[in-house]
Amino acid sequence: VRVWVERLLRDGVVAENVLFETDADGTVISEAAAPRPADAVGLTFAVPGFGNAHSHAFHRALRGRTHEGGSFWTWRETMYRAAGRLDPDSYRELASGVFGEMVANGWTAVGEFHYLHHAPDGARYPAHAMEMAIADAAADAGIRLVLLDTAYLSAGVAGEPLSERQRRFSDGDAAGYLDRWHALRSALAGRSPLVTLGAALHSVRGVPRDAMVAIVAGLPADVPLHIHLSEQPAENAACLAVHGLTPTGLLAECGILSPRLAVVHATHLTEADIGLLGAARVHAVFCPTTEADLGDGIGPAVEVIEAGVRLALGSDQNAVVDPLLEMRGLEAGERLRSLRRGRVEPAALWQIAGAGGYGALGLPAPARVGGPLDLVELDLGSTRTAGAIPVQVALAATGSDVIRTVVGGRVVHDRSDAAPIAARLARSISALLDA
Ligand SMILES: [Zn+2]
């Protein structure tokens, strides 16, 4: 496949007349300055694809329904109600719509942090039905998926048992999770070139200390590993009370901090936590629109970057699905907490949302030789972007400025056909929550 880009913004500079060529899997095998060949897809202005490093697809159903009052913990109540009603068929429909919305807004890859494994009573579905529903939804939408299959075994830092409503999340113990994970890996092999399997520990609340150690030891060393970390001060307080350590300190003591680890949120960190995360070269996934919506707080982005952490962005609860708004949210948070401008410069915002997200998912950087040919064509002539310098479009455009999305060298979305995605979302959310 050949894709030609008239103007490509990458690493903060615009290159002109860039011709990419891929192998059969959509991996870039060559890149050169050349005139547009007659048989190549031609994009006017494009950037490397955006990697959404943290998503819970089904939370999308709560958008526009949970914004009145309450706290993180009351939001979670509504989330559990939606979670309790999903089955493989309804999940496939909903996730197809959500992944379609992501592609339409420029996310070309997603890490789905998935723990709805079993039936509501905890019984196993045959043939990994929930996981396959997500994989099929991604293939249907044309998005690159890293399924972050999640261990969720306990309800609190002291190993409290899961409630009735959380039963469908659980594999019982570390061995049960590892058995299912390895079987899932075999079942997913060859299913779609867009789908790979990663792993996750829900949090220091969701997986007891010994189980975390056993799970990490039982996973292949090259698999990306994610965990929610210090999203809420209450988690830190509970962890200190039980273990005498912060959640980051506990991960360090268990030997889990490593370059393959991505910590999600990392909002409430101590200076010592930041030092540990940076020294281990972990990835951190900030989710600015979610952290604002849930009242989580503003994470120390500049401090973690300076310590050596590699930053990425995620849409998390999917109340907002728009990489450009996450980029802007990251920089806005920095400005609001520091009372200064230019904390994360536009060129760095593009890098964080693009290659940063891919890296956190264990994927090679997009739109480079050796990486997937994932690109986003942006409109520089909209009411939002007209007159802007390309690199600063980071702080001007929204997902509505995405004209076409390319994944693996193939155009998977054109903005002239977004209506079916919206109709699908409306149908599946109404069936889930209004029935
Ligand atoms: Zn999450």
Side-chain angles (χ1 to χ4, degrees):
V1 178
R2 295 201 285 178
V3 175
W4 179 82
V5 185
E6 189 175 355
R7 291 202 288 162
L8 175 71
L9 172 65
R10 197 178 51 186
D11 303 330
V13 292
V14 175
E16 297 195 345
N17 302 318
V18 180
L19 180 63
F20 290 105
E21 199 161 344
T22 76
D23 64 13
D25 295 333
T27 300
V28 179
I29 52 173
S30 77
E31 174 190 326
R36 180 182 177 180
D39 65 340
V41 172
L43 309 178
T44 52
F45 172 76
V47 297
F50 297 112
N52 183 358
H54 189 68
S55 159
H56 305 279
F58 77 91
H59 293 184
R60 169 66 179 83
L62 309 181
R63 183 191 301 174
R65 292 171 180 257
T66 53
H67 305 304
E68 293 173 324
S71 67
F72 171 85
W73 306 102
T74 57
W75 171 88
R76 201 175 70 151
E77 286 301 308
T78 317
M79 185 268 284
Y80 281 152
R81 272 208 301 281
R85 294 182 176 185
L86 282 163
D87 63 24
D89 287 337
S90 58
Y91 206 177
R92 183 181 299 104
E93 270 303 295
L94 176 60
S96 292
V98 178
F99 293 152
E101 182 184 2
M102 286 182 193
V103 164
N105 285 275
W107 292 117
T108 48
V110 60
E112 176 65 21
F113 197 103
H114 165 70
Y115 51 80
L116 274 179
H117 304 300
H118 309 299
D121 64 356
R124 284 204 176 188
Y125 286 115
H128 308 280
M130 291 296 256
E131 291 71 31
M132 293 305 167
I134 295 171
D136 292 348
D140 184 40
I143 200 166
R144 196 175 294 287
L145 169 71
V146 179
L147 182 58
L148 299 166
D149 190 89
T150 303
Y152 198 156
L153 304 173
S154 58
V157 176
E160 294 88 338
L162 293 176
S163 68
E164 191 99 325
R165 288 172 317 172
Q166 295 170 314
R167 225 165 25 173
R168 65 185 312 190
F169 309 161
S170 177
D171 294 299
D173 55 20
Y177 167 79
L178 286 168
D179 279 352
R180 193 181 52 74
W181 189 92
H182 284 280
L184 175 60
R185 196 181 207 206
S186 305
L188 274 175
R191 187 145 179 127
S192 161
L194 293 180
V195 177
T196 51
L197 184 63
L201 306 166
H202 180 275
S203 57
V204 299
R205 291 177 281 121
V207 186
R209 172 191 192 139
D210 292 349
M212 289 200 296
V213 172
I215 287 170
V216 172
L219 290 168
D222 60 342
V223 166
L225 178 71
H226 285 224
I227 185 169
H228 290 124
L229 186 79
S230 295
E231 178 177 9
Q232 295 285 326
E235 174 180 298
N236 290 358
C239 196
L240 280 165
V242 172
H243 297 295
L245 295 163
T246 63
T248 299
L250 181 61
L251 295 183
E253 201 188 64
C254 293
I256 294 173
L257 298 182
S258 77
R260 64 123 146 208
L261 183 73
V263 296
V264 179
H265 301 301
T267 308
H268 301 281
L269 301 176
T270 65
E271 251 176 71
D273 291 340
I274 292 170
L276 287 168
L277 296 172
R281 295 284 289 149
V282 306
H283 302 268
V285 186
F286 280 28
C287 307
T289 65
T290 294
E291 288 147 9
D293 182 72
L294 296 180
D296 290 344
I298 302 170
V302 167
E303 289 87 337
V304 298
I305 292 170
E306 284 174 353
V309 167
R310 294 166 292 171
L311 209 57
L313 294 170
S315 65
D316 192 4
Q317 63 162 338
N318 295 313
V320 174
V321 170
D322 186 328
L324 289 141
L325 292 184
E326 299 298 344
M327 289 156 65
R328 213 171 306 170
L330 180 72
E331 170 61 5
E334 280 300 310
R335 292 183 185 191
L336 289 167
R337 86 187 169 92
S338 71
L339 311 184
R340 288 171 46 208
R341 305 182 78 225
R343 298 276 284 173
V344 186
E345 294 287 3
L349 291 172
W350 293 110
Q351 191 280 331
I352 289 166
Y358 276 65
L361 295 173
L363 300 169
R368 289 178 196 280
V369 172
L373 185 50
D374 298 354
L375 290 162
V376 179
E377 184 181 32
L378 291 171
D379 187 349
L380 293 187
S382 76
T383 50
R384 288 166 295 276
T385 58
I389 296 165
V391 70
Q392 297 197 17
V393 164
L395 296 173
T398 70
S400 300
D401 296 309
V402 173
I403 300 172
R404 281 177 293 178
T405 307
V406 171
V407 174
R410 201 166 61 88
V411 176
V412 294
H413 182 78
D414 187 309
R415 87 174 154 186
S416 58
D417 52 41
I421 299 171
R424 189 170 205 169
L425 284 166
R427 227 176 21 244
S428 59
I429 292 169
S430 180
L432 185 68
L433 295 179
D434 299 332

